[in-house]
Amino acid sequence: MFRKVLIANRGEIAVRIIRACRELGISPVAVYSEADTESLHVRMADEAVCIGPAASTQSYLKIEALVSAALATKAEAIHPGYGFLAENAAFARAVNAAGLTFIGPPAEAMEVMGSKISARLAAIDAGVPIVPGTVEALTSFAEAGRSAEEFGYPVMLKAAAGGGGKGMRLVNDREELRSAFETAQTEAAAAFGDSSLYLEKAIERPRHIEIQVFADNHGNVVHLGERECSIQRRHQKVIEECPSPINDPDLRQRMGEEAVKIARAVNYTGAGTVEFLLSDTTREFYFLEMNTRLQVEHPVTELVTGFDLVREQFSVAAGARLSFAQAGVSWVGHAIECRIYAEDPGNNFFPSPGTITHLQEPLGPGIRVDSGVRRLSEVSIHYDPMIAKLAAWGRTRDEAIDRLRRALDEYEVAGITTTLPFFRMIVRDKEFIAGRLDTGFISRFNERQTGPQMTTEDTDLAIIAAGLYYTKTQQPVRFQNPVSKWKLAAREIKSNHRRD
Ligand code: MV4
C-alpha cells in the first residue's frame, strides 16, 4: 500500500479520501488555493501545499503545480476525486510520467470515454445497446436533417465532446431543427472548444440509471449494482438512490453485465460508472456514457453493498486484486442521498456564498453525512456550491425516507442559504414517496408546489409571527415537524436571524 498520497481536490470529497487514507495508514497530503487556507480538508491532512490563487484554473486545475506538490512532499500517488482534473487524460499521463500512480483508470480509457462518439463506438464493439442514432459526428445541417428523418422525431442533438447534458437540444420536429442545430453547435464550441454534434432518437420520459463498476489490474471486473439518478435539475443530480425504486433483480443483472462488458472493452481499472437511459414504457435500456471517476453519489452504493469504494480504489491502484468477486456482492436495504448546496431554492437556486455561522449536522440511526465544511467555513463563489451530502439507509425505501426526513429536519445551517428546505418538501411529496421518478419529476414537482404557494401577505404574517416568537422567548423558532410552508418559512427566518 502507498505510504503517502496527495489529494488533488477540496471540499467533501477531499475529506472523504482523507478518511480512507487514515483507515489504510496512508499519510494524506492536501492541496489548497489561497481561498482555502482555513478549509476542513487542509486541517484534516498531515501536510498541505498551497498551489495558487482562488481561481481553480490557477490552482486545482494546474497540472504542474499538483505534480510538483506531490514530488516535493514525496507522495507516491495522486487521488483526483471528482470534477477538476479527475477525467483529464493529460493529467493522468503527467502523473505517471513523474513516476507517480494516478488513482484512476488508464489514460487511454479516459480518452475513449471522453468523446461521446468514441464511447458509443466502444459500446457497439462490446455489443452493448446504445441509443439509436448517428455513429459519427454530423458534418452538415443537411445530414442532421436526413438522420433525424431516418431515426424519427423527436431527436436529441448532443455535443460529441459533451456529457452530462451540456450542449444538448431536444428537437420535436423538422421546423425546430435549424435553430436547435445552430445553438447546439455554438454551445458545444463555447463549452468544449469542439462544435461537433451527433444525433440520437429521443427517449421519452427516460430514467437515468447508472451501474457502479470496479476493475483491478488482474482482469477482474465486477459491478456493484445500480443507482437511480433520475431526479435532476438542469442536468445536475439532486437525489440519488440505491437500489432504484423500480428495483428488479433481473434488470440489475442485465444492466450490470452490459456495464462490465463496456469496462472490459476499454481495459478499465478502478472505480467507474456506466450510465444508461431506461425507457419507462418499454423497459429497454441504452448505454449513454461512462464516467471514469469516483462519483459524488458513491455513498449510496457503499451503504447498500457495504464496500468502501475509496479503500478499494487505493487497493487496486497499489496493484492488489479486488477484495471481492461478483458472487460476493449483495445488496441490503435502501439508501437515498441528497446533495446539500449553498444555493437559494427560493431564488431559482442562485448561489449563496458566505460564512457558515452555525452548523448542526444530523446523526443517529442510518444517517451518513459527507461534509466539507464546519462552523465558520467560508463558502466561496470560486467553487462548486455543494457543501455536503446527506445519505440515509434503511431496511426498506420507506424506512430510508423516514430517516432522511428526520435528518433533514435536524440539519441546521445558518449564515448561508441552502437547498435543505427544498429537500424537506421533496421527502414529503407523494410522487417521490411512491417512487415515480422519471426525468420529468422535478418539473412536475415544481408545478405541484406552485399550487399552495404562499402569498406575499402570508409571508409577511409568518415573518411577524416568527419575530414575535423570538422576541418573547429569545429562542430560535424550532419545529419538530415542519410540514407547512409557514413553518418552513419560519425556519428560514430563523436561519436569516442567525446570519448576524
Ligand atoms: C437523453 C434524453 C432522452 N433521449 N438522450 C440528460 C443528461 C445527460 N446525461 C443525458 N440526458 C438525457 N439524454 C436521449 N436520447 C433525456 C435526457 C435527460 C435526462 C436524463 C437523465 C436524467 C434527467 C434528464 C433530464 C432531461 C433530459
Side-chain angles (χ1 to χ4, degrees):
M1 185 47 68
F2 308 108
R3 279 177 298 109
K4 196 188 264 198
V5 171
L6 181 131
I7 298 140
N9 217 301
R10 64 181 302 284
E12 70 83 21
I13 195 61
V15 170
R16 168 72 187 88
I17 296 163
I18 290 170
R19 289 190 166 127
C21 287
R22 294 289 177 210
E23 292 176 22
L24 288 164
I26 299 170
S27 173
V29 180
V31 294
Y32 63 99
S33 72
E34 285 164 12
D36 271 335
T37 52
E38 304 297 320
S39 291
L40 183 59
H41 75 285
V42 175
R43 161 72 73 92
M44 287 176 70
D46 282 343
E47 292 166 73
V49 181
C50 183
I51 46 164
S56 45
T57 50
Q58 296 187 65
S59 49
Y60 296 104
L61 290 170
K62 269 226 173 294
I63 294 179
E64 316 85 74
L66 293 160
V67 173
S68 306
L71 293 173
T73 53
K74 299 199 162 53
E76 298 151 313
I78 297 186
H79 195 309
Y82 55 70
F84 293 130
L85 295 167
E87 293 179 277
N88 186 311
F91 181 50
R93 288 215 165 84
V95 172
N96 292 331
L100 307 167
T101 302
F102 178 77
I103 313 240
E108 294 73 27
M110 290 161 74
E111 271 161 355
V112 172
M113 293 306 169
S115 154
K116 302 309 142 191
I117 288 179
S118 58
R120 278 162 64 84
L121 284 170
I124 294 171
D125 281 349
V128 173
I130 58 170
V131 186
T134 59
V135 176
E136 283 175 38
L138 298 164
T139 52
S140 66
F141 172 71
E143 196 191 334
R146 284 193 298 276
S147 299
E149 299 294 338
E150 180 192 341
F151 295 104
Y153 288 99
V155 296
M156 286 277 189
L157 286 173
K158 297 188 175 185
K166 269 191 216 128
M168 193 176 87
R169 274 283 174 288
L170 173 67
V171 189
N172 287 302
D173 52 46
R174 195 175 307 177
E175 284 74 60
E176 288 180 16
L177 189 62
R178 170 72 72 178
S179 73
F181 187 80
E182 282 163 8
T183 42
Q185 260 191 340
T186 311
E187 269 181 34
F192 312 108
D194 175 357
S195 67
S196 39
L197 302 178
Y198 69 102
L199 180 148
E200 284 179 357
K201 183 160 183 58
I203 309 296
E204 284 170 82
R205 280 209 185 187
R207 294 174 84 118
H208 172 129
I209 297 187
E210 57 187 33
I211 300 283
Q212 177 72 53
V213 295
F214 230 108
D216 65 19
N217 293 299
H218 305 273
N220 302 301
V221 188
V222 298
H223 75 86
L224 293 162
E226 80 284 7
R227 290 186 290 260
E228 164 83 56
C229 304
S230 297
I231 301 196
Q232 303 192 0
R233 229 197 116 259
R234 297 204 193 134
H235 306 307
Q236 285 272 44
K237 291 168 190 161
V238 171
I239 293 191
E240 305 98 350
E241 313 191 15
C242 176
S244 164
I246 49 155
N247 181 22
D248 168 341
D250 172 61
L251 188 63
R252 170 184 290 159
Q253 187 179 335
R254 288 192 292 129
M255 285 179 123
E257 281 167 7
E258 299 301 332
V260 166
K261 277 199 224 164
I262 291 267
R264 282 197 191 283
V266 296
N267 296 316
Y268 202 82
T269 58
T273 297
V274 182
E275 295 185 353
F276 295 96
L277 280 187
L278 173 81
S279 162
D280 234 9
T281 45
T282 65
R283 283 278 168 138
E284 282 181 279
F285 61 82
Y286 310 94
F287 169 76
L288 204 54
E289 52 193 72
M290 180 172 189
N291 302 319
T292 57
R293 57 167 194 273
L294 181 73
Q295 293 207 206
V296 174
E297 59 272 26
H298 76 277
V300 293
T301 299
E302 293 188 325
L303 287 167
V304 169
T305 63
F307 295 111
D308 178 334
L309 298 189
V310 182
R311 182 186 183 100
E312 209 66 31
Q313 281 189 300
F314 279 127
S315 154
V316 304
R321 289 172 178 275
L322 277 175
S323 71
F324 53 91
Q326 190 65 60
V329 183
S330 54
W331 294 267
V332 179
H334 199 103
I336 307 180
E337 176 184 274
C338 299
R339 299 186 181 193
I340 314 299
Y341 282 91
E343 287 177 348
D344 184 356
N347 184 17
N348 207 19
F349 294 82
F350 206 73
S352 170
T355 305
I356 296 177
T357 53
H358 167 82
L359 182 64
Q360 181 68 55
E361 288 164 344
L363 292 165
I367 294 303
R368 166 171 171 176
V369 179
D370 285 64
S371 174
V373 295
R374 50 183 173 165
R375 195 175 84 88
L376 302 182
S377 281
E378 292 284 337
V379 180
S380 160
I381 45 152
H382 290 100
Y383 313 112
D384 185 276
M386 193 184 77
I387 56 165
K389 305 176 308 206
L390 168 62
W393 179 90
R395 287 168 307 155
T396 61
R397 185 167 186 268
D398 284 342
E399 188 177 56
I401 293 174
D402 289 342
R403 287 175 165 172
L404 188 59
R405 197 185 292 120
R406 184 268 295 167
L408 285 163
D409 290 349
E410 265 180 39
Y411 213 137
E412 298 180 353
V413 186
I416 57 166
T417 305
T418 70
T419 48
L420 281 166
F422 176 68
F423 289 116
R424 291 187 187 120
M425 298 209 272
I426 286 187
V427 294
R428 290 172 172 83
D429 180 74
K430 281 198 188 71
E431 297 285 306
F432 175 76
I433 294 169
R436 285 192 279 272
L437 311 182
D438 65 77
T439 48
F441 175 85
I442 287 290
S443 64
R444 292 198 306 273
F445 172 76
N446 287 336
E447 276 163 29
R448 283 195 292 283
Q449 298 309 310
T450 48
Q453 199 81 279
M454 283 208 300
T455 64
T456 321
E457 297 84 274
D458 288 342
T459 315
D460 287 348
L461 272 172
I463 291 169
I464 293 163
L468 281 171
Y469 178 88
Y470 184 85
T471 319
K472 204 170 139 210
T473 61
Q474 291 296 306
Q475 288 291 316
V477 184
R478 194 170 290 274
F479 293 108
Q480 257 124 41
N481 189 15
V483 280
S484 79
K485 298 239 171 192
W486 288 56
K487 290 182 180 178
L488 286 169
R491 189 178 268 271
E492 289 320 288
I493 292 151
K494 157 187 144 187
S495 337
N496 290 342
H497 186 87
R498 292 225 183 122
R499 198 166 289 176
D500 47 31

